[in-house]
Amino acid sequence: MKTTPARGAFLAVSRALTLLMLGGAPLLSSSVHAAPPQVRTQAPGFHRMMLGDFEVTVLSDGTVPQTVSQVATGTTPGRVKELLSRDHLEDPVELSINAFLINTGTALVLVDTGVGSFFGPGVGGQLQQSLQAAGYRPEQIDVVLLTHIHSDHSGGLMAKMSRAFPNAILRVHAREAGFWLGRDDRAKGPVDPKFFEEARAMVGPYQDAGKLKAFGDGDAIVPGIRAMPTPGHTPGHSAYVVESRGARLVLWGDLMHFGSVQLRGNRSGVVLRPSSGCATRGGCTREPQRRWKRRLKDWFASTCWPSNSW
């Protein structure tokens, strides 16, 4: 192909620029290519779904590592490994610490508050970050519901010396409040005193401010949300049934810790402090826990769960 003067000039300039770029590359400052510092943090965790007319947002407070084979009962380490592998999990697993925010259109209800700072740095304590990332502020919360008053569910009630949810009414079962906030700890069996201290530190300020309101078995909390008694893990342990336009969601805490193992094992359970027994966490007994585990299995078997549920 014949080269015209214009094309020849273009090719000459192109070759010159290429040589200039290749020759000049070593002269560029190395700082231009320096990698930015690693961030090493995750995005705030929340997931949102609609339940009828209700908006439900699951809020992550973080995770805590748990070695399932050390706390699972009624099974063997080999069986635990096999069951976890079916869900592509390995022991130890990262156990999620979650709270649930329900916007009914007339009330903003938070179920559980995470662990706060009770598990130490880097474990939990992310609830407020997740809440604000989801578009809400703590002062907007109308009602806080606790499944029970163990510190990994009530630990986020306080922000240092102030109530973390200043405008909220705190609701808990009457048996739960009576057990943990009553003054005669000696009559409550061999329970580690620190659990009473933690309960009073988290719940006490709401009680002192007139913001604590107990409920009974099956009581309605707000329209569309009612309490369901699930005693066993603690005396006033409760689940919450959320219903809107025929859709139903049941929220619970510590009825099931490791679904991969417990839902597949007829007799498998969990004891988080095997050396000191179940009673160290306050009034929990084996038979109610087994009964509720069987009921959970029935729910899973008979209910069509949405694919984006948790």
Coordinates of all heavy atoms in Angstrom, one line a residue, residues 120-217:
G120 N -15.4 -8.1 74.1 CA -14.1 -7.5 73.9 C -13.9 -7.0 72.5 O -14.8 -7.0 71.6
P121 N -12.8 -6.4 72.2 CA -12.5 -5.7 70.9 C -12.6 -6.7 69.7 O -12.2 -7.8 69.8 CB -11.1 -5.2 71.1 CG -10.8 -5.1 72.5 CD -11.6 -6.3 73.1
G122 N -13.3 -6.2 68.7 CA -13.3 -6.9 67.4 C -14.3 -8.0 67.4 O -14.5 -8.7 66.4
V123 N -15.1 -8.2 68.5 CA -16.2 -9.2 68.5 C -17.5 -8.5 68.8 O -17.7 -8.1 69.9 CB -15.9 -10.3 69.5 CG1 -17.0 -11.4 69.5 CG2 -14.5 -10.9 69.3
G124 N -18.4 -8.4 67.8 CA -19.6 -7.7 68.0 C -19.4 -6.2 68.1 O -18.4 -5.6 67.7
G125 N -20.5 -5.5 68.6 CA -20.4 -4.1 68.8 C -20.6 -3.3 67.6 O -20.3 -2.1 67.6
Q126 N -21.2 -3.9 66.5 CA -21.4 -3.2 65.3 C -22.9 -2.7 65.0 O -23.2 -2.2 64.0 CB -21.0 -4.0 64.1 CG -19.5 -4.5 64.2 CD -18.6 -3.3 64.2 OE1 -18.6 -2.4 63.4 NE2 -17.6 -3.4 65.2
L127 N -23.7 -2.9 66.0 CA -25.2 -2.7 65.8 C -25.4 -1.2 65.4 O -26.2 -0.9 64.5 CB -26.0 -3.0 67.0 CG -27.5 -2.7 66.9 CD1 -28.1 -3.6 65.9 CD2 -28.2 -3.0 68.3
Q128 N -24.9 -0.3 66.1 CA -25.2 1.1 65.8 C -24.7 1.5 64.4 O -25.4 2.3 63.7 CB -24.5 2.0 66.9 CG -25.1 2.0 68.3 CD -26.5 2.6 68.4 OE1 -26.9 3.3 67.5 NE2 -27.2 2.3 69.4
Q129 N -23.5 1.0 64.0 CA -23.0 1.3 62.7 C -24.0 0.7 61.6 O -24.3 1.4 60.6 CB -21.7 0.7 62.5 CG -21.0 0.9 61.2 CD -19.7 0.2 61.0 OE1 -19.3 -0.6 61.9 NE2 -19.0 0.5 59.9
S130 N -24.4 -0.5 61.9 CA -25.4 -1.2 60.9 C -26.7 -0.4 60.9 O -27.3 -0.3 59.8 CB -25.6 -2.6 61.3 OG -24.4 -3.4 61.2
L131 N -27.2 0.0 62.0 CA -28.5 0.7 62.1 C -28.4 2.0 61.3 O -29.3 2.3 60.5 CB -28.8 1.0 63.6 CG -30.0 1.8 63.8 CD1 -31.3 1.1 63.5 CD2 -30.1 2.3 65.3
Q132 N -27.4 2.8 61.4 CA -27.3 4.0 60.7 C -27.0 3.8 59.2 O -27.5 4.6 58.4 CB -26.2 4.9 61.4 CG -26.6 5.3 62.8 CD -25.6 6.3 63.4 OE1 -25.3 7.3 62.8 NE2 -25.2 6.0 64.7
A133 N -26.3 2.7 58.9 CA -26.1 2.4 57.5 C -27.4 2.0 56.8 O -27.6 2.3 55.6 CB -25.1 1.3 57.3
A134 N -28.3 1.5 57.6 CA -29.6 1.1 57.1 C -30.6 2.2 57.0 O -31.7 2.1 56.5 CB -30.2 0.0 58.0
G135 N -30.1 3.4 57.4 CA -31.0 4.6 57.2 C -31.8 5.1 58.4 O -32.7 5.9 58.3
Y136 N -31.4 4.5 59.6 CA -32.2 4.9 60.8 C -31.2 5.4 61.9 O -30.0 5.1 61.9 CB -32.9 3.6 61.3 CG -34.1 3.2 60.5 CD1 -33.9 2.2 59.5 CD2 -35.3 3.8 60.5 CE1 -35.0 1.8 58.7 CE2 -36.4 3.5 59.7 CZ -36.2 2.4 58.8 OH -37.2 2.0 58.0
R137 N -31.8 6.1 62.9 CA -31.0 6.6 64.0 C -31.6 6.0 65.3 O -32.8 5.7 65.4 CB -31.1 8.1 64.0 CG -30.7 8.8 62.8 CD -30.7 10.4 63.0 NE -32.0 10.9 63.4 CZ -33.0 11.2 62.6 NH1 -32.9 11.0 61.3 NH2 -34.1 11.6 63.1
P138 N -30.7 5.8 66.3 CA -31.1 5.2 67.5 C -32.3 5.9 68.2 O -33.1 5.3 68.9 CB -29.9 5.2 68.4 CG -28.9 6.1 67.7 CD -29.3 6.2 66.3
E139 N -32.3 7.2 68.1 CA -33.4 8.0 68.8 C -34.8 7.8 68.1 O -35.8 8.2 68.7 CB -33.0 9.5 68.9 CG -32.8 10.2 67.5 CD -31.4 10.1 67.0 OE1 -30.6 9.3 67.5 OE2 -31.1 11.0 66.2
Q140 N -34.8 7.2 66.9 CA -36.1 6.9 66.3 C -36.7 5.6 66.8 O -37.9 5.4 66.5 CB -35.8 6.8 64.7 CG -35.4 8.1 64.1 CD -35.2 7.9 62.6 OE1 -34.3 7.1 62.2 NE2 -35.9 8.6 61.7
I141 N -36.0 4.8 67.5 CA -36.6 3.5 67.9 C -37.6 3.8 69.0 O -37.4 4.5 70.0 CB -35.5 2.6 68.5 CG1 -34.3 2.4 67.5 CG2 -36.1 1.3 68.9 CD1 -34.7 1.8 66.2
D142 N -38.8 3.2 68.7 CA -40.0 3.4 69.7 C -40.0 2.3 70.8 O -40.3 2.6 71.9 CB -41.3 3.3 68.9 CG -41.4 4.4 67.9 OD1 -41.3 5.6 68.3 OD2 -41.7 4.1 66.7
V143 N -39.7 1.1 70.4 CA -39.8 -0.1 71.3 C -38.5 -1.0 71.0 O -38.2 -1.3 69.9 CB -41.0 -0.9 71.0 CG1 -41.1 -2.1 72.0 CG2 -42.3 0.0 71.2
V144 N -37.9 -1.4 72.1 CA -36.9 -2.5 72.1 C -37.4 -3.7 72.8 O -37.9 -3.6 73.9 CB -35.6 -2.0 72.8 CG1 -34.6 -3.1 72.8 CG2 -35.0 -0.8 72.0
L145 N -37.4 -4.8 72.1 CA -37.8 -6.1 72.6 C -36.6 -7.0 72.8 O -35.7 -7.0 72.0 CB -38.8 -6.8 71.6 CG -40.0 -6.1 71.2 CD1 -40.8 -6.9 70.2 CD2 -40.9 -5.8 72.4
L146 N -36.5 -7.6 74.0 CA -35.5 -8.6 74.2 C -36.0 -10.0 74.2 O -37.0 -10.3 74.9 CB -34.8 -8.3 75.6 CG -34.0 -7.0 75.7 CD1 -33.4 -6.9 77.1 CD2 -33.0 -6.8 74.6
T147 N -35.4 -10.9 73.5 CA -35.7 -12.3 73.6 C -35.4 -12.8 75.0 O -36.1 -13.7 75.6 CB -35.0 -13.1 72.6 OG1 -33.6 -13.0 72.7 CG2 -35.4 -12.7 71.2
H148 N -34.3 -12.3 75.6 CA -33.9 -12.6 77.0 C -32.8 -11.6 77.4 O -32.3 -10.9 76.5 CB -33.5 -14.1 77.2 CG -32.4 -14.5 76.3 ND1 -32.4 -14.5 74.9 CD2 -31.1 -15.0 76.6 CE1 -31.2 -15.0 74.5 NE2 -30.5 -15.3 75.5
I149 N -32.4 -11.6 78.6 CA -31.5 -10.6 79.1 C -30.1 -11.0 79.2 O -29.3 -10.3 79.8 CB -32.0 -10.0 80.5 CG1 -33.5 -9.5 80.3 CG2 -31.2 -8.9 81.0 CD1 -34.0 -8.9 81.6
H150 N -29.7 -12.1 78.6 CA -28.2 -12.4 78.6 C -27.5 -11.3 77.8 O -28.0 -10.7 76.9 CB -28.0 -13.7 77.8 CG -28.3 -14.9 78.7 ND1 -28.5 -16.2 78.1 CD2 -28.4 -15.1 80.0 CE1 -28.7 -17.1 79.1 NE2 -28.7 -16.4 80.3
S151 N -26.3 -11.1 78.2 CA -25.5 -9.9 77.8 C -25.3 -9.9 76.3 O -25.1 -8.8 75.7 CB -24.2 -9.8 78.5 OG -23.4 -10.9 78.3
D152 N -25.3 -11.0 75.6 CA -25.1 -11.0 74.1 C -26.4 -10.7 73.4 O -26.3 -10.6 72.1 CB -24.5 -12.4 73.7 CG -25.3 -13.6 74.1 OD1 -26.0 -13.5 75.2 OD2 -25.2 -14.6 73.5
H153 N -27.4 -10.4 74.1 CA -28.7 -9.9 73.5 C -29.1 -8.5 74.1 O -29.8 -7.8 73.4 CB -29.8 -10.9 73.7 CG -29.5 -12.2 73.1 ND1 -30.1 -12.6 71.9 CD2 -28.7 -13.2 73.4 CE1 -29.7 -13.8 71.5 NE2 -28.8 -14.2 72.4
S154 N -28.6 -8.2 75.2 CA -28.9 -6.9 75.9 C -27.7 -6.0 75.9 O -27.9 -4.8 76.4 CB -29.5 -7.1 77.3 OG -28.5 -7.7 78.1
G155 N -26.6 -6.4 75.5 CA -25.3 -5.6 75.6 C -25.3 -4.3 74.9 O -24.5 -3.4 75.2
G156 N -26.2 -4.2 73.9 CA -26.2 -2.9 73.1 C -27.2 -1.9 73.6 O -27.4 -0.9 73.0
L157 N -27.8 -2.2 74.8 CA -28.8 -1.2 75.3 C -28.2 0.1 75.8 O -28.8 1.1 75.9 CB -29.5 -1.9 76.5 CG -30.6 -2.9 76.2 CD1 -31.1 -3.6 77.4 CD2 -31.8 -2.2 75.4
M158 N -26.9 0.0 76.2 CA -26.2 1.2 76.7 C -25.1 1.6 75.8 O -24.4 0.8 75.2 CB -25.7 0.9 78.1 CG -26.7 0.6 79.2 SD -27.8 2.0 79.5 CE -26.7 3.1 80.3
A159 N -24.9 3.0 75.7 CA -23.7 3.6 75.0 C -22.9 4.3 76.1 O -23.2 5.4 76.5 CB -24.2 4.5 74.0
K160 N -21.9 3.6 76.6 CA -21.2 4.0 77.8 C -22.1 4.2 79.0 O -22.7 3.3 79.4 CB -20.4 5.3 77.4 CG -19.3 5.0 76.4 CD -18.5 6.2 76.1 CE -17.4 5.9 75.0 NZ -16.6 7.1 74.7
M161 N -22.4 5.5 79.4 CA -23.2 5.7 80.6 C -24.6 6.2 80.2 O -25.4 6.5 81.1 CB -22.5 6.8 81.5 CG -21.2 6.4 82.0 SD -21.2 4.8 82.9 CE -22.1 5.3 84.4
S162 N -24.9 6.2 78.9 CA -26.2 6.7 78.5 C -27.0 5.5 77.8 O -26.5 4.6 77.3 CB -26.1 7.8 77.5 OG -25.4 8.9 78.1
R163 N -28.4 5.7 77.8 CA -29.2 4.7 77.1 C -29.0 4.9 75.6 O -29.1 6.0 75.1 CB -30.7 4.9 77.5 CG -31.0 4.7 79.0 CD -32.5 4.6 79.2 NE -33.3 5.7 78.6 CZ -33.4 6.9 79.1 NH1 -32.9 7.2 80.3 NH2 -34.2 7.9 78.5
A164 N -28.7 3.8 75.0 CA -28.4 3.8 73.5 C -29.6 4.2 72.7 O -29.5 4.7 71.6 CB -27.8 2.5 73.1
F165 N -30.8 3.9 73.2 CA -32.1 4.2 72.6 C -32.9 5.1 73.5 O -33.8 4.6 74.2 CB -32.8 2.9 72.2 CG -31.9 1.9 71.4 CD1 -31.2 0.9 72.1 CD2 -31.6 2.1 70.1 CE1 -30.4 0.0 71.4 CE2 -30.8 1.3 69.4 CZ -30.1 0.2 70.0
P166 N -32.6 6.3 73.5 CA -33.1 7.2 74.6 C -34.6 7.4 74.6 O -35.2 7.7 75.6 CB -32.4 8.6 74.3 CG -32.1 8.5 72.8 CD -31.7 7.1 72.6
N167 N -35.3 7.2 73.5 CA -36.7 7.4 73.4 C -37.5 6.1 73.4 O -38.8 6.1 73.3 CB -37.1 8.2 72.1 CG -36.4 9.6 72.1 OD1 -36.4 10.2 73.2 ND2 -35.9 10.0 71.0
A168 N -36.9 5.0 73.5 CA -37.5 3.7 73.4 C -38.0 3.2 74.7 O -37.5 3.4 75.8 CB -36.5 2.7 72.8
I169 N -39.2 2.4 74.6 CA -39.7 1.7 75.8 C -39.1 0.3 75.6 O -39.1 -0.3 74.6 CB -41.2 1.5 75.7 CG1 -41.8 2.9 75.9 CG2 -41.7 0.6 76.9 CD1 -41.5 3.6 77.2
L170 N -38.5 -0.2 76.7 CA -37.9 -1.6 76.7 C -38.9 -2.6 77.2 O -39.4 -2.4 78.3 CB -36.6 -1.6 77.6 CG -35.9 -2.9 77.8 CD1 -35.4 -3.4 76.5 CD2 -34.7 -2.8 78.8
R171 N -39.1 -3.6 76.4 CA -40.1 -4.6 76.8 C -39.4 -6.0 77.0 O -38.6 -6.4 76.1 CB -41.2 -4.8 75.7 CG -41.9 -3.5 75.3 CD -42.8 -2.9 76.4 NE -43.7 -3.9 77.0 CZ -44.9 -4.1 76.5 NH1 -45.4 -3.4 75.4 NH2 -45.7 -4.9 77.1
V172 N -39.8 -6.7 78.0 CA -39.2 -8.0 78.3 C -40.3 -8.7 79.1 O -41.1 -8.1 79.8 CB -37.9 -7.8 79.1 CG1 -38.1 -7.2 80.5 CG2 -37.2 -9.1 79.2
H173 N -40.2 -10.1 79.1 CA -41.2 -10.9 79.8 C -41.1 -10.6 81.3 O -40.0 -10.4 81.8 CB -41.0 -12.4 79.5 CG -42.2 -13.2 79.9 ND1 -42.5 -13.5 81.2 CD2 -43.1 -13.8 79.1 CE1 -43.6 -14.3 81.2 NE2 -44.0 -14.5 80.0
A174 N -42.2 -10.7 82.0 CA -42.2 -10.4 83.4 C -41.4 -11.4 84.2 O -40.7 -11.0 85.2 CB -43.7 -10.4 83.9
R175 N -41.4 -12.6 83.8 CA -40.5 -13.6 84.5 C -39.0 -13.3 84.3 O -38.2 -13.5 85.2 CB -40.8 -15.0 84.0 CG -42.1 -15.6 84.6 CD -42.2 -17.1 84.3 NE -42.1 -17.5 82.9 CZ -43.2 -17.6 82.1 NH1 -44.4 -17.3 82.6 NH2 -43.1 -17.9 80.8
E176 N -38.7 -12.9 83.1 CA -37.3 -12.5 82.8 C -36.8 -11.3 83.7 O -35.8 -11.4 84.3 CB -37.2 -12.2 81.3 CG -35.7 -12.1 80.9 CD -35.1 -13.5 80.7 OE1 -35.7 -14.5 81.0 OE2 -33.9 -13.5 80.2
A177 N -37.7 -10.3 83.7 CA -37.3 -9.1 84.5 C -37.2 -9.5 86.0 O -36.3 -9.1 86.7 CB -38.3 -8.0 84.3
G178 N -38.2 -10.3 86.5 CA -38.2 -10.6 87.9 C -37.0 -11.5 88.3 O -36.4 -11.3 89.3
F179 N -36.5 -12.4 87.4 CA -35.4 -13.2 87.7 C -34.1 -12.4 87.7 O -33.3 -12.5 88.7 CB -35.3 -14.3 86.6 CG -34.2 -15.3 86.9 CD1 -34.4 -16.4 87.7 CD2 -32.9 -15.1 86.4 CE1 -33.4 -17.3 88.0 CE2 -31.9 -16.0 86.6 CZ -32.1 -17.1 87.5
W180 N -33.8 -11.6 86.7 CA -32.6 -10.9 86.6 C -32.5 -9.7 87.4 O -31.4 -9.3 87.8 CB -32.3 -10.6 85.1 CG -32.0 -11.9 84.3 CD1 -32.9 -12.4 83.4 CD2 -30.9 -12.8 84.4 NE1 -32.4 -13.5 82.8 CE2 -31.2 -13.8 83.4 CE3 -29.8 -12.8 85.1 CZ2 -30.3 -14.8 83.2 CZ3 -28.9 -13.8 84.9 CH2 -29.1 -14.8 84.0
L181 N -33.6 -9.0 87.6 CA -33.5 -7.7 88.3 C -33.9 -7.8 89.7 O -33.8 -6.8 90.5 CB -34.4 -6.7 87.6 CG -34.1 -6.5 86.1 CD1 -35.1 -5.5 85.5 CD2 -32.7 -6.0 85.9
G182 N -34.5 -8.9 90.2 CA -34.8 -9.1 91.6 C -33.6 -9.0 92.5 O -32.5 -9.4 92.0
R183 N -33.7 -8.7 93.7 CA -32.6 -8.4 94.6 C -32.0 -9.7 95.3 O -30.9 -9.7 95.8 CB -32.9 -7.3 95.6 CG -33.1 -6.0 94.9 CD -31.8 -5.6 94.2 NE -32.0 -4.4 93.4 CZ -31.1 -3.8 92.6 NH1 -29.9 -4.4 92.5 NH2 -31.3 -2.8 91.9
D184 N -32.9 -10.7 95.4 CA -32.4 -11.9 96.2 C -31.8 -12.9 95.2 O -32.5 -13.9 94.8 CB -33.6 -12.5 96.9 CG -33.2 -13.6 97.9 OD1 -31.9 -13.8 98.0 OD2 -34.0 -14.3 98.5
D185 N -30.6 -12.7 94.9 CA -29.9 -13.6 94.0 C -29.7 -15.0 94.5 O -29.6 -16.0 93.8 CB -28.6 -13.1 93.5 CG -28.7 -11.7 92.8 OD1 -29.9 -11.4 92.4 OD2 -27.7 -11.0 92.6
R186 N -29.6 -15.2 95.8 CA -29.3 -16.4 96.5 C -30.4 -17.5 96.2 O -30.2 -18.7 96.3 CB -29.1 -16.3 98.0 CG -27.9 -15.4 98.3 CD -27.8 -15.1 99.8 NE -29.0 -14.3 100.2 CZ -29.2 -13.9 101.4 NH1 -28.4 -14.2 102.4 NH2 -30.3 -13.2 101.7
A187 N -31.6 -17.0 96.0 CA -32.7 -17.9 95.8 C -32.9 -18.4 94.4 O -33.8 -19.1 94.0 CB -34.0 -17.2 96.2
K188 N -31.9 -18.1 93.5 CA -32.0 -18.4 92.1 C -31.1 -19.4 91.6 O -30.8 -19.6 90.4 CB -31.8 -17.1 91.3 CG -32.9 -16.0 91.6 CD -32.5 -14.7 91.0 CE -33.6 -13.6 91.5 NZ -33.3 -12.3 91.0
G189 N -30.5 -20.2 92.6 CA -29.7 -21.3 92.2 C -28.3 -20.9 91.9 O -27.9 -19.7 92.1
P190 N -27.4 -21.8 91.4 CA -26.0 -21.6 91.2 C -25.7 -20.8 89.9 O -25.1 -21.3 89.0 CB -25.4 -23.0 91.1 CG -26.5 -23.8 90.5 CD -27.8 -23.2 91.1
V191 N -26.2 -19.6 89.9 CA -26.0 -18.7 88.7 C -24.8 -17.8 89.0 O -24.7 -17.2 90.1 CB -27.2 -17.9 88.4 CG1 -27.0 -17.0 87.2 CG2 -28.4 -18.8 88.3
D192 N -23.9 -17.7 88.0 CA -22.7 -16.8 88.2 C -23.2 -15.4 88.5 O -24.0 -14.8 87.7 CB -21.9 -16.8 86.9 CG -20.5 -16.2 87.0 OD1 -20.4 -15.2 87.8 OD2 -19.6 -16.6 86.4
P193 N -22.8 -14.7 89.6 CA -23.2 -13.4 89.9 C -23.0 -12.3 88.8 O -23.7 -11.3 88.7 CB -22.4 -13.0 91.2 CG -22.0 -14.4 91.7 CD -21.8 -15.3 90.6
K194 N -22.0 -12.6 87.9 CA -21.7 -11.6 86.9 C -22.9 -11.4 86.0 O -23.1 -10.3 85.4 CB -20.5 -11.9 86.2 CG -20.6 -13.0 85.1 CD -19.4 -13.1 84.2 CE -19.5 -14.0 83.1 NZ -18.4 -14.1 82.2
F195 N -23.7 -12.4 85.8 CA -24.8 -12.3 84.9 C -25.9 -11.4 85.4 O -26.6 -10.6 84.7 CB -25.4 -13.7 84.5 CG -24.5 -14.5 83.8 CD1 -24.0 -15.7 84.3 CD2 -24.1 -14.2 82.5 CE1 -23.1 -16.5 83.6 CE2 -23.2 -15.0 81.8 CZ -22.7 -16.2 82.3
F196 N -26.1 -11.4 86.7 CA -27.0 -10.4 87.4 C -26.4 -9.0 87.3 O -27.2 -8.0 87.0 CB -27.2 -10.8 88.8 CG -28.0 -12.1 89.0 CD1 -27.3 -13.2 89.4 CD2 -29.3 -12.2 88.7 CE1 -27.9 -14.4 89.6 CE2 -30.0 -13.4 88.9 CZ -29.3 -14.5 89.3
E197 N -25.1 -8.9 87.5 CA -24.5 -7.5 87.4 C -24.7 -7.0 86.0 O -25.0 -5.8 85.8 CB -23.0 -7.6 87.8 CG -22.8 -8.1 89.2 CD -21.4 -8.4 89.5 OE1 -20.5 -8.3 88.6 OE2 -21.1 -8.9 90.7
E198 N -24.4 -7.8 85.0 CA -24.5 -7.3 83.6 C -26.0 -7.0 83.3 O -26.2 -5.9 82.6 CB -24.0 -8.4 82.6 CG -22.5 -8.7 82.7 CD -22.1 -9.9 81.9 OE1 -23.0 -10.6 81.4 OE2 -20.9 -10.2 81.8
A199 N -26.9 -7.8 83.7 CA -28.3 -7.5 83.5 C -28.7 -6.1 84.1 O -29.4 -5.3 83.4 CB -29.2 -8.6 84.0
R200 N -28.3 -5.9 85.3 CA -28.7 -4.6 85.9 C -28.0 -3.4 85.3 O -28.5 -2.4 85.2 CB -28.4 -4.7 87.4 CG -29.3 -5.7 88.2 CD -28.8 -6.1 89.5 NE -29.7 -7.1 90.1 CZ -29.3 -8.0 91.0 NH1 -28.1 -8.0 91.4 NH2 -30.2 -8.9 91.5
A201 N -26.7 -3.7 84.8 CA -26.0 -2.6 84.2 C -26.7 -2.2 82.9 O -26.7 -1.0 82.5 CB -24.6 -3.0 83.9
M202 N -27.3 -3.1 82.1 CA -27.9 -2.8 80.8 C -29.4 -2.4 81.0 O -29.8 -1.5 80.4 CB -27.8 -4.1 79.9 CG -26.4 -4.4 79.5 SD -25.6 -3.2 78.5 CE -24.5 -2.4 79.7
V203 N -30.1 -3.1 81.8 CA -31.6 -2.9 81.9 C -31.9 -1.9 83.0 O -32.9 -1.2 82.8 CB -32.3 -4.3 82.1 CG1 -33.8 -4.0 82.3 CG2 -32.0 -5.2 81.0
G204 N -31.1 -1.9 84.0 CA -31.4 -1.0 85.1 C -31.6 0.5 84.8 O -32.6 1.1 85.3
P205 N -30.8 1.1 83.9 CA -31.1 2.5 83.6 C -32.4 2.7 82.9 O -33.0 3.8 83.1 CB -29.9 2.8 82.6 CG -28.8 1.9 83.1 CD -29.5 0.6 83.4
Y206 N -32.9 1.8 82.1 CA -34.2 1.9 81.5 C -35.3 1.8 82.6 O -36.3 2.5 82.6 CB -34.5 0.8 80.5 CG -33.6 1.1 79.2 CD1 -32.3 0.7 79.1 CD2 -34.2 1.7 78.1 CE1 -31.5 0.9 78.0 CE2 -33.5 1.9 76.9 CZ -32.1 1.5 76.9 OH -31.4 1.8 75.8
Q207 N -35.1 0.9 83.6 CA -36.0 0.8 84.7 C -36.1 2.0 85.5 O -37.1 2.5 85.9 CB -35.6 -0.4 85.5 CG -36.6 -0.8 86.7 CD -36.1 -2.0 87.4 OE1 -34.9 -2.2 87.7 NE2 -37.1 -2.8 87.8
D208 N -34.9 2.6 85.8 CA -34.8 3.8 86.6 C -35.5 5.0 85.9 O -36.0 5.9 86.6 CB -33.4 4.2 86.9 CG -32.7 3.1 87.8 OD1 -33.4 2.3 88.4 OD2 -31.4 3.1 87.8
A209 N -35.5 5.0 84.6 CA -36.1 6.1 83.8 C -37.5 5.9 83.5 O -38.2 6.7 82.8 CB -35.3 6.3 82.5
G210 N -38.1 4.8 84.1 CA -39.5 4.5 83.8 C -39.8 4.0 82.4 O -40.9 4.1 81.9
K211 N -38.7 3.4 81.7 CA -38.8 3.0 80.3 C -38.9 1.5 80.2 O -38.9 1.0 79.1 CB -37.6 3.5 79.6 CG -37.4 5.0 79.5 CD -38.4 5.5 78.4 CE -38.1 7.0 78.1 NZ -38.9 7.5 76.9
L212 N -39.0 0.8 81.3 CA -39.1 -0.7 81.3 C -40.5 -1.1 81.5 O -41.1 -0.7 82.5 CB -38.2 -1.3 82.3 CG -38.3 -2.9 82.5 CD1 -37.8 -3.5 81.2 CD2 -37.5 -3.3 83.7
K213 N -41.0 -1.9 80.6 CA -42.4 -2.4 80.7 C -42.5 -3.9 80.4 O -42.1 -4.3 79.3 CB -43.3 -1.6 79.7 CG -44.8 -2.0 79.9 CD -45.7 -1.1 78.9 CE -47.1 -1.5 79.0 NZ -48.0 -0.7 78.1
A214 N -42.9 -4.7 81.4 CA -42.9 -6.1 81.3 C -44.2 -6.5 80.5 O -45.2 -5.8 80.5 CB -42.8 -6.8 82.6
F215 N -44.2 -7.7 80.0 CA -45.4 -8.3 79.3 C -45.5 -9.7 79.8 O -44.6 -10.3 80.4 CB -45.3 -8.2 77.8 CG -44.1 -8.9 77.2 CD1 -44.0 -10.3 77.1 CD2 -43.0 -8.2 76.7 CE1 -42.9 -10.9 76.5 CE2 -41.9 -8.8 76.2 CZ -41.9 -10.2 76.1
G216 N -46.7 -10.3 79.5 CA -47.0 -11.7 79.9 C -47.0 -12.6 78.7 O -46.8 -12.2 77.5
D217 N -47.3 -13.9 78.9 CA -47.4 -14.9 77.8 C -48.4 -14.5 76.8 O -49.6 -14.2 77.0 CB -47.8 -16.2 78.4 CG -46.8 -16.8 79.3 OD1 -45.6 -16.3 79.3 OD2 -47.1 -17.9 79.9

